[in-house]
Amino acid sequence: MSQLGDLQARMAEITRRLNSDGAGKTTQVIQDALAAAGLTPPSMSAGTKQKLAPQNFVSDLLGKLGLGGAATTPQADTQAPDLNGGKFVAGSYANTAGSRRYKVYVPSGYDGEAMPLVVMLHGCTQDPDDFARGTQMNALAEEQGFLVVYPAQEASDNSSKCWNWFKAMDQQRDQGEPSLIAGITNEVIDQYGLDRKQVFVAGLSAGGAMAIIMGSTYPDLYQAVGVHSGLPYASASDLTSALSAMRGASGTSLSSSRRGGASAKLQAIPVIVFHGDRDATVSPSNGTGLIDDFVARFEQTAASEEKISTVVEEGKTETGHRYSRTSLHVDGRPVLAEHWLIHGAGHAWAGGSARGSYTDANGPDASREMLRFFSTQRADSESLQD
């Protein structure tokens, strides 16, 4: 049996034990499985800042899959001024799927006009405050004039505060976590009178995987998606397939099945993707899979007679990493999709601040580039379906 096949068989056994014994009694099994497959703990790349408490690789892996880690006590809802000049306002939303807290950044220049909205979905172990510090999205909201909402995953719903991107119920419209995130989005839009033609969603890692789920299942609500170090829509359905998807082990075959299945039938919502080519947590092949899915969806629409042209640019920020940017175009339309492969970068938000976790200050500036891309995508622009 190959190393991968052996690992998958062991992970199936882990799934069975988790159901019967819990995560605590399966640690040694996981250690043996990873050792047998030659999967060693990933090293941090130069310039990557991770301010999380040290963890062993097994615990970290379980955490990323939502199966381990210590629960934290939710902070009380407060309304407090933000260092950027606006206000960071806490709220909560509930429906039949449960409830979630969130925080909204309202820039100091807001006076009731219909501003755009960016929905930011944090990664595992993070929270709205940490994610806001790391991505610096609040400072950009102050500079450019838009609101930002950060839904918060609860430790009671995932012990490591990961969005449950790998669960079938949480991959569907009007169910589970997508219904809660969409509910938060609509609540904030209505409360602040925001522009429904300019609503966007972005996320990191598990949050990136959930962002593409939101764009895929609510294309009438979000005009574009930003995915950083995330995974394609419905790329996993349980622990075993989640591990395979994260490692990129199933890459082409999974992507092909998605193109021929449900994903190809979904709307081709504009997407901008960032991924480090040394990401040892979520394989860079997932970034390519996101673009492959976009192309497959586009080809299934009425616009399929139009040909997508691809432009590849090589670049380097003044103090940052080198990168390869692939842009997808159709004549007469804005750029439909972008894929930024960042050379030498690991599992971290590019251009982020060391004040937050999972950030890499060495650029390019993912937050600013996402906003540039979003600014070209509006609900009153020509639809990809036309």
Side-chain angles (χ1 to χ4, degrees), residues 319-341:
T319 59
H321 296 292
R322 296 192 61 82
Y323 60 84
S324 299
R325 178 173 65 175
T326 302
S327 302
L328 278 63
H329 305 255
V330 167
D331 290 344
R333 300 174 185 267
V335 173
L336 304 180
E338 292 186 16
H339 179 208
W340 293 65
L341 184 64

Side-chain angles (χ1 to χ4, degrees), residues 286-302:
N286 286 287
T288 303
L290 283 157
I291 298 300
D292 289 345
D293 276 2
F294 172 86
V295 173
R297 295 178 189 184
F298 185 85
E299 290 176 346
Q300 293 293 319
T301 69

Side-chain angles (χ1 to χ4, degrees), residues 71-82 88-93 99-104 122 125-133 150-156 161:
T72 57
T73 303
Q75 297 179 353
D77 285 349
T78 59
Q79 178 172 321
D82 185 89
F88 215 4
V89 184
S92 62
Y93 173 83
S99 65
R100 292 295 186 277
R101 296 172 303 121
Y102 62 85
K103 294 192 76 172
V104 182
H122 63 75
T125 75
Q126 296 181 316
D127 59 27
D129 294 284
D130 178 22
F131 200 39
R133 289 192 300 268
Y150 302 82
Q153 178 65 304
E154 304 290 356
S156 57
K161 299 189 289 186

